Amino acid sequence: MDVADRLVFSRSRLRRGDCLYRAGERFSSLYAVRNGFFKSTAMLDNGRDQVTRFSMTGEVLGLDGIGPERHSCNTIAVEDSEVCAIPFAGLQALAQEIPSLQRHFFKMMSREIEREHGVMLQLGSMNAEERLAMFLLDLSQRFAARGYSRSEFNLRMTRADIGSYLGLKLETVSRTFSKFQEQGLIVVQQKWIRIRDSAALKRVMGRERN
Amino acid sequence: MDVADRLVFSRSRLRRGDCLYRAGERFSSLYAVRNGFFKSTAMLDNGRDQVTRFSMTGEVLGLDGIGPERHSCNTIAVEDSEVCAIPFAGLQALAQEIPSLQRHFFKMMSREIEREHGVMLQLGSMNAEERLAMFLLDLSQRFAARGYSRSEFNLRMTRADIGSYLGLKLETVSRTFSKFQEQGLIVVQQKWIRIRDSAALKRVMGRERN
DNA sequence: CGGTTTCTTGATTGGGATCAATAGGAGTGG
DNA sequence: CCACTCCTATTGATCCCAATCAAGAAACCG
């Protein structure tokens, strides 16, 4: 029996600013992003909330909810978007019967651990330029993986969102973009970015620290 | 058939400084810490490596290896320790047959995502005092959960390890401990710590930021 | 013991936060 | 289409926390 026959995939559209799910809500589905762009924010103990990830077409949202059975972050569309909801109960039952699906799942979750881990880890020891360089290269690579241009794209999010994600203030983000532009690494105009010298960006990112 | 009948749990002892597994090695087992204390370090792209977690008795090590099928960090005993190796292949096969085990597993991994996430996230927006306060309270809580004293314990790791984990330099760790001691929040003498006012530490940790 | 690692404390520096002011776009309604 | 407002981005000036450099002291260990 085919997976698609057993699971009901419901699609839904969201407009810019709409919330896909909120922290604390009961977890029931994973979401595949069909198109658009999302940001997830987590409320820290102190009340401020921080952007924890950006998600684009082809990526899966909601894995964080499986353990606690509640969503642990808010996920908001930063532009008009469309998602496909995958009921987790059904997926889990199916994994019980299909070994390869279970394996796939274990792997996907483990990779998730990895990814978050990796990004956040690196940030800790990086200065502003390194963070921004990493951010741009990460976006570039993900756009490329989805068939979009690797060197030219629109940042869908604001400077404040980028800053929150990277642990910088929006002024620093802006200043650093300007600096990169002066150095000829990128061209930036508002949300539009063109990467002119990705090798140099990699060098900025990899600058050794001690 | 009982789980213990199907899985071979092999125990091994490690001495201070011994390596349980290294990044890049083929992943085959998870490890339950029976006693002792471990630190995990991950090599960043730039060559420096950073402490990513400390693990104590009763905690599970190695989840990060499931996806890539290789360990992605080095794990080293910081004192004489003993672990129990759990072959992952067997565990996976068993999860295929026992729904509750599969569920338990999904949850454990998801919680792992959460935990790392939470800690690292918070760090980004915290200053040195807040980081140290959080670190002490986290350790205190974990010791308490294992039946040890909540208010008095030995830090097994060095100041440099703590600093690496928290994204601070060892001098800052030392200075901040001293400051806490002056304020009467803790008593510190080398690796020995006594928490005198955990409420105050919580207040330090929760100090609002903007 | 001497040698090594670990910890503490002081002096100075620098990168990013903060405060502040202006400019640029986007959306709305007349 | 323009005028108005709001949100977002840029840039400058100043300040502060933690890094860095440096020197000792304390503990650990063969």
Side-chain angles (χ1 to χ4, degrees), chain A:
Chain A
M1 200 181 259
D2 188 45
V3 173
D5 293 339
R6 298 275 298 274
L7 288 174
V8 182
F9 288 57
S10 63
R11 286 163 73 160
S12 58
R13 292 173 186 285
L14 295 95
R15 317 209 41 173
R16 177 164 184 259
D18 286 353
C19 194
L20 179 59
Y21 55 78
R22 288 176 207 281
E25 282 178 5
R26 185 152 187 77
F27 164 79
S28 64
S29 297
L30 299 175
Y31 300 92
V33 180
R34 296 190 54 84
N35 59 64
F37 210 89
F38 291 83
K39 70 172 174 184
S40 296
T41 66
M43 180 84 120
L44 303 177
D45 299 343
N46 55 62
R48 298 280 331 135
D49 69 357
Q50 172 168 351
V51 175
T52 57
R53 68 182 303 178
F54 297 108
S55 304
M56 61 174 68
T57 306
E59 298 178 331
V60 174
L61 277 164
L63 291 171
D64 58 288
I66 295 174
E69 294 177 339
R70 305 201 159 270
H71 289 291
S72 57
C73 61
N74 305 299
T75 294
I76 295 153
V78 298
E79 62 177 8
D80 294 357
S81 303
E82 200 178 348
V83 298
C84 185
I86 307 159
F88 183 67
L91 199 60
Q92 191 165 244
L94 216 56
Q96 204 64 61
E97 298 172 31
I98 307 174
S100 67
L101 182 59
Q102 180 184 267
R103 274 200 301 280
H104 181 70
F105 233 80
F106 280 141
K107 285 199 185 183
M108 186 167 69
M109 293 183 66
S110 178
R111 256 199 317 263
E112 185 73 0
I113 295 177
E114 270 310 271
R115 203 184 118 67
E116 298 286 337
H117 205 95
V119 172
M120 300 207 147
L121 201 56
Q122 304 243 9
L123 289 183
S125 64
M126 287 175 142
N127 66 24
E129 289 181 33
E130 292 162 342
R131 289 175 197 217
L132 252 303
M134 181 187 206
F135 174 73
L136 289 175
L137 290 168
D138 177 55
L139 272 188
S140 164
Q141 181 268 309
R142 284 158 70 195
F143 276 122
R146 316 277 162 213
Y148 302 105
S149 169
R150 167 188 298 284
S151 63
E152 205 162 322
F153 45 84
N154 273 290
L155 300 171
R156 267 79 166 199
M157 69 299 278
T158 67
R159 300 286 188 266
D161 285 337
I162 297 171
S164 172
Y165 179 65
L166 295 176
L168 300 170
K169 292 293 150 184
L170 70 93
E171 294 95 326
T172 305
V173 173
S174 185
R175 264 185 251 279
T176 308
F177 275 152
S178 299
K179 186 183 286 183
F180 283 168
Q181 181 160 242
E182 281 164 32
Q183 294 169 348
L185 308 190
I186 64 175
V187 181
V188 52
Q189 190 175 4
Q190 302 285 127
K191 293 206 170 6
W192 181 83
I193 292 273
R194 204 184 110 173
I195 295 178
R196 294 186 59 192
D197 189 347
S198 68
L201 278 179
K202 284 189 190 103
R203 263 178 271 127
V204 168
M205 186 178 102
R207 182 133 46 233
E208 66 208 70
R209 281 167 292 286
N210 43 353

Side-chain angles (χ1 to χ4, degrees), chain B residues 184-203:
Chain B
L185 307 190
I186 64 174
V187 182
V188 54
Q189 191 175 3
Q190 302 287 125
K191 293 205 168 13
W192 182 83
I193 292 273
R194 198 175 95 116
I195 295 178
R196 295 185 59 191
D197 190 347
S198 68
L201 278 179
K202 284 190 190 101
R203 263 177 272 126

Side-chain angles (χ1 to χ4, degrees), chain B:
Chain B
M1 199 180 260
D2 189 44
V3 173
D5 293 339
R6 298 276 298 273
L7 287 174
V8 183
F9 289 57
S10 62
R11 287 161 73 160
S12 58
R13 292 172 188 285
L14 294 96
R15 317 207 42 170
R16 176 165 184 257
D18 285 354
C19 193
L20 178 59
Y21 55 79
R22 290 175 203 282
E25 282 178 7
R26 186 152 187 77
F27 164 79
S28 63
S29 298
L30 299 175
Y31 301 92
V33 181
R34 296 189 56 83
N35 59 63
F37 210 88
F38 290 83
K39 70 172 175 185
S40 296
T41 65
M43 181 83 122
L44 303 177
D45 298 342
N46 55 65
R48 299 282 330 138
D49 69 355
Q50 172 168 352
V51 175
T52 56
R53 67 182 304 175
F54 297 106
S55 304
M56 59 175 69
T57 306
E59 297 178 333
V60 174
L61 277 164
L63 290 172
D64 57 288
I66 296 174
E69 293 176 340
R70 305 200 158 271
H71 288 291
S72 57
C73 61
N74 304 298
T75 294
I76 295 153
V78 297
E79 62 178 9
D80 294 357
S81 303
E82 199 178 348
V83 298
C84 185
I86 307 159
F88 183 68
L91 199 60
Q92 192 163 244
L94 217 55
Q96 204 65 61
E97 298 171 31
I98 308 173
S100 67
L101 182 60
Q102 180 184 268
R103 274 200 301 280
H104 180 72
F105 232 81
F106 280 142
K107 285 198 186 184
M108 187 167 71
M109 293 183 66
S110 178
R111 256 199 316 264
E112 185 74 1
I113 295 177
E114 270 310 271
R115 203 185 117 68
E116 298 286 338
H117 205 94
V119 173
M120 301 207 148
L121 202 55
Q122 304 243 9
L123 289 182
S125 65
M126 287 174 143
N127 66 24
E129 290 183 32
E130 292 162 341
R131 288 174 199 218
L132 252 303
M134 179 187 207
F135 174 74
L136 289 175
L137 290 168
D138 178 54
L139 271 189
S140 164
Q141 182 267 312
R142 283 159 70 195
F143 276 122
R146 315 280 162 212
Y148 302 105
S149 168
R150 170 189 296 285
S151 63
E152 205 162 321
F153 45 83
N154 273 291
L155 300 172
R156 267 78 167 198
M157 69 299 278
T158 67
R159 300 287 188 267
D161 285 338
I162 297 171
S164 172
Y165 178 66
L166 296 176
L168 300 171
K169 291 294 150 184
L170 69 93
E171 295 95 324
T172 305
V173 172
S174 185
R175 264 185 251 279
T176 308
F177 276 151
S178 298
K179 185 182 286 184
F180 283 169
Q181 180 160 243
E182 282 163 32
Q183 295 170 345
L185 307 190
I186 64 174
V187 182
V188 54
Q189 191 175 3
Q190 302 287 125
K191 293 205 168 13
W192 182 83
I193 292 273
R194 198 175 95 116
I195 295 178
R196 295 185 59 191
D197 190 347
S198 68
L201 278 179
K202 284 190 190 101
R203 263 177 272 126
V204 168
M205 187 178 102
R207 181 132 49 235
E208 63 209 75
R209 281 165 293 286
N210 42 354

